[in-house]
């Protein structure tokens, strides 16, 4: 590339590196439509795009979600919401988790809806709403802790907070929510208990005329398992990325993984008998064998726990990781009969038919969940967004 071209690529935030992620926007939109089709027409769908869209790239995914039928976006931090606003997204955005009271003002300035579970945060929101020149009432969701024992107010406190929001003309009670601790569990007794506590809160609010616009509780697991907990709004993250919330929960028919990860061989290594590969010399070749260097490592989110255990797809076959994953590089064995050369494509995560592991496979090897596999993908990896199989945008290091 000439210097001007290099500068243009840099300003577009892309690196031109061989190691890149592909985000299939058609697959994502298809998953949103499938999710939408499960719900009754009166139930709305929130697309959860926190943690940079579970590693997929929040802005592109958010736009796709809204075009495919989602009506709200869920984020975790004010910065995540601010970034979406900066990209021109004006749909309702909900901060799902706790923020510091000192952040209330910046959240309202970005027209983010807050999730409130304490008097301290509600005080800060009310104060900010009074002092800012907002065009309408500030949107507030009150969260009840019905058994997760994470974020939320006790049911009694939550009812009190919601009444306070409903009575304050500068605030609008957009939502009343809770979160399930074990919606992926085949035994749904605890989920039902949580739902009963939640519904008791809703009844108490109805008795005093403090009705939230949306009651909401379901995550992907709850929504995939039944229609029992949809209420007015379903908050779906992982299923929209085409990944199961847990091995015990099946995706709906037609849902497909969105993310794949590829690179190219940077060196073909002839490893002699008795030689070792990589740091710590944990892999020793018994016989002469061929290996390939792939420029990805734990600095990219290709976790070190895959050392000696993971595999990649080369030439349609499985190429096992040899020795330790380094920060920027990994060596894999070339399967017998695969005549690989520098520049050949490697599928690091993706289609098992290409020899590659799925996110589920990598989660299994790492003893974790798919959520952690995709969110681990670092900013160093360019995201190539595909429509009809063709890149329509590339997003690099911010
Ligand atoms: C992340 C999150 C979700 C989405 O969960 P998935 O399992 O990815 O569907 C829903 N609700 C809240 C409060 C969350 O924080």
């Amino acid at each position: 590339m000439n210097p001007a071209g290099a500068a243009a690529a840099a300003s577009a935030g892309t690196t031109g590196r061989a190691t890149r992620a592909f985000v299939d926007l058609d697959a994502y939109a298809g998953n949103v439509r499938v999710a939408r089709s499960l719900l009754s027409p009166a139930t709305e769908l929130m697309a959860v795009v926190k943690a940079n869209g579970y590693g997929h790239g929040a802005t592109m995914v958010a736009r796709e979600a809204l075009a495919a039928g989602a009506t709200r976006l869920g984020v975790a931090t004010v910065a995540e919401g601010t970034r979406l606003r900066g990209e021109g997204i004006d749909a309702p955005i909900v901060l799902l988790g706790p923020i510091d009271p000192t952040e209330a003002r910046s959240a309202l300035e970005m027209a983010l809806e807050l999730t409130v579970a304490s008097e301290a945060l509600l005080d800060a929101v009310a104060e900010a709403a009074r002092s800012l020149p907002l065009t309408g009432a500030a949107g507030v969701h009150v969260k009840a802790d019905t058994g997760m024992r994470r974020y939320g107010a006790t049911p009694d406190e939550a009812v009190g907070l919601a009444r306070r929001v409903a009575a304050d003309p500068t605030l609008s009670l957009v939502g009343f929510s809770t979160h399930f601790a074990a919606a992926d569990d085949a035994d749904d007794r605890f989920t039902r208990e949580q739902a009963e506590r939640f519904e008791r809160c809703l009844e108490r609010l109805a008795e005093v005329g403090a009705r939230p616009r949306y009651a909401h509780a379901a995550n992907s697991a709850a929504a995939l398992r039944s229609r029992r907990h949809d209420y007015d709004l379903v908050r779906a993250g992982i299923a929209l990325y085409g990944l199961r919330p847990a091995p015990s929960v099946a995706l709906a028919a037609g849902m497909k993984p969105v993310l794949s990860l590829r690179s190219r061989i940077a060196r073909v290594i002839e490893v002699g008998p008795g030689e070792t590969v990589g740091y710590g010399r944990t892999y020793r070749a018994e016989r002469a064998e061929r290996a390939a260097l792939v420029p990805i490592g734990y600095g990219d989110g290709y976790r070190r726990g895959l050392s000696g255990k993971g595999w990649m797809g080369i030439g349609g076959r499985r190429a096992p990781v040899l020795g330790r994953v380094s920060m920027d590089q990994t060596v894999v064995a070339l399967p017998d009969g695969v005549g690989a050369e520098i520049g050949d494509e490697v599928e690091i995560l993706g289609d098992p038919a290409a020899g590659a592991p799925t996110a589920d496979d990598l989660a299994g090897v790492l003893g974790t969940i798919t959520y952690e596999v995709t969110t681990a993908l670092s900013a160093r990896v360019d995201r190539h967004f595909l429509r009809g199989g063709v890149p329509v945008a590339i997003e690099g290091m911010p």
Side-chain angles (χ1 to χ4, degrees), residues 264-288:
R264 289 192 284 267
I265 293 176
R267 182 190 177 203
V268 174
I269 310 161
E270 307 287 346
V271 185
E275 287 185 339
T276 61
V277 176
Y279 283 125
R281 310 186 66 203
T282 57
Y283 178 79
R284 184 180 301 270
E286 309 245 299
R287 53 179 178 92

Side-chain angles (χ1 to χ4, degrees), residues 46-50 54 74-76 95-97 115 143 150-151 177-180 216-224 234-241 243-246 371:
M46 175 195 296
V48 180
V49 299
K50 61 196 181 189
Y54 292 39
V75 298
L95 282 161
L96 295 169
T115 300
K143 181 157 200 164
R150 195 180 63 175
Y151 192 41
S177 69
T178 193
H179 195 60
F180 294 130
H216 53 105
N219 54 6
S220 293
L224 289 168
V234 163
R235 308 185 302 259
I238 200 78
L240 303 185
Y241 302 100
L243 301 172
R244 295 183 294 182
Y371 300 71

Side-chain angles (χ1 to χ4, degrees), residues 277-283 298 304 306-308 321-327 329-331:
V277 176
Y279 283 125
R281 310 186 66 203
T282 57
Y283 178 79
Y298 58 80
R304 192 166 174 276
L306 296 166
S307 298
V321 172
L322 297 184
R324 288 197 184 141
V325 172
S326 324
M327 188 183 291
Q329 309 174 44
T330 298
V331 174

